[in-house]
């Protein structure tokens, strides 16, 4: 590496930390356009602290442009970070890379992470990375999160479950008899979305609320 190359790398790495989000965005784009393994560590490090969504998304894109042999070990370390954003963004990036060697890192603890954004990223990554034949087990774990959080979190979980297909039905039907009304409602709404993807989440939730309010489980007559 020439001194000129080293200077260029230092400038670009500095730009990834610039106070202006537009500069950071352009730097991430530049790194992704001309991948260089020397940037992988910096990209992963920046993902953990970058405050702007669009810049984080570009950082993830830049990482996907690098060899998996370089990015995977660094990302697997990040999913164990104490920093919630580091875990969330690493999981998001793993879902974009789609290499199933990352599957063992998607632990039950991550799928039930106390931070909603981390959990949502873990759900999305799990659906992408789950090995063939293990979908039912994943569905059972995801079903333990039914009723969690507000609309955005519940919608993310429903989408993850629906993406797994028919294998989720037994877990959903078991959840419709839960003592927690929120769990029953969310399970019914998710089952409706599985049967009718065009129904829309709001409609499915409102319909499920009516069923639960009437004391039903939605399984009557089945």
């Amino acid at each position: 590496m020439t001194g000129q190359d080293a200077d260029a790398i230092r400038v670009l790495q500095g730009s990834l930390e610039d106070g202006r989000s537009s500069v950071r965005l352009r730097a991430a784009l530049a790194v992704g356009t001309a991948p260089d393994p020397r940037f992988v560590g910096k990209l992963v490090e920046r993902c953990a602290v970058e405050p702007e969504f669009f810049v984080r998304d570009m950082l993830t894109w830049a990482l996907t442009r690098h060899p998996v042999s370089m990015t995977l070990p660094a990302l697997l370390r990040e999913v164990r970070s104490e920093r919630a954003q580091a875990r969330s963004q690493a999981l998001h990036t793993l879902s974009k890379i789609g290499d199933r060697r990352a599957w063992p890192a998607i632990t039950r603890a991550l799928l039930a992470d106390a931070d909603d954004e981390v959990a949502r990223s873990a759900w999305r990554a799990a659906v992408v990375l789950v090995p063939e034949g293990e979908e039912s087990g994943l569905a059972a774990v995801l079903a333990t999160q039914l009723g969690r959080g507000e609309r955005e979190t519940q919608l993310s979980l429903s989408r993850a479950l629906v993406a797994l297909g028919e294998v989720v039905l037994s877990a959903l039907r078991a959840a419709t008899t839960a003592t927690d009304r929120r769990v029953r409602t969310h399970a019914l709404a998710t089952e409706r979305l599985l049967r009718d993807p065009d129904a829309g989440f709001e409609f499915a939730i409102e319909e499920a609320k009516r069923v639960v309010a009437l004391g039903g489980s939605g399984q009557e007559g089945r």
Side-chain angles (χ1 to χ4, degrees), residues 9 24 31 40 42 47 90-92 104 121 146 154 201 217:
I9 287 173
R24 299 196 303 275
V31 174
V40 169
K42 189 64 176 181
C47 280
L91 287 163
H92 174 65
S121 295
L146 286 164
Q154 293 196 3
F201 187 69
S217 67

Side-chain angles (χ1 to χ4, degrees), residues 141-157:
V141 176
L142 292 181
T144 66
Q145 302 302 298
L146 286 164
R148 170 179 174 164
E150 300 306 321
R151 179 193 179 282
E152 192 173 7
T153 298
Q154 293 196 3
L155 175 58
S156 290
L157 182 59

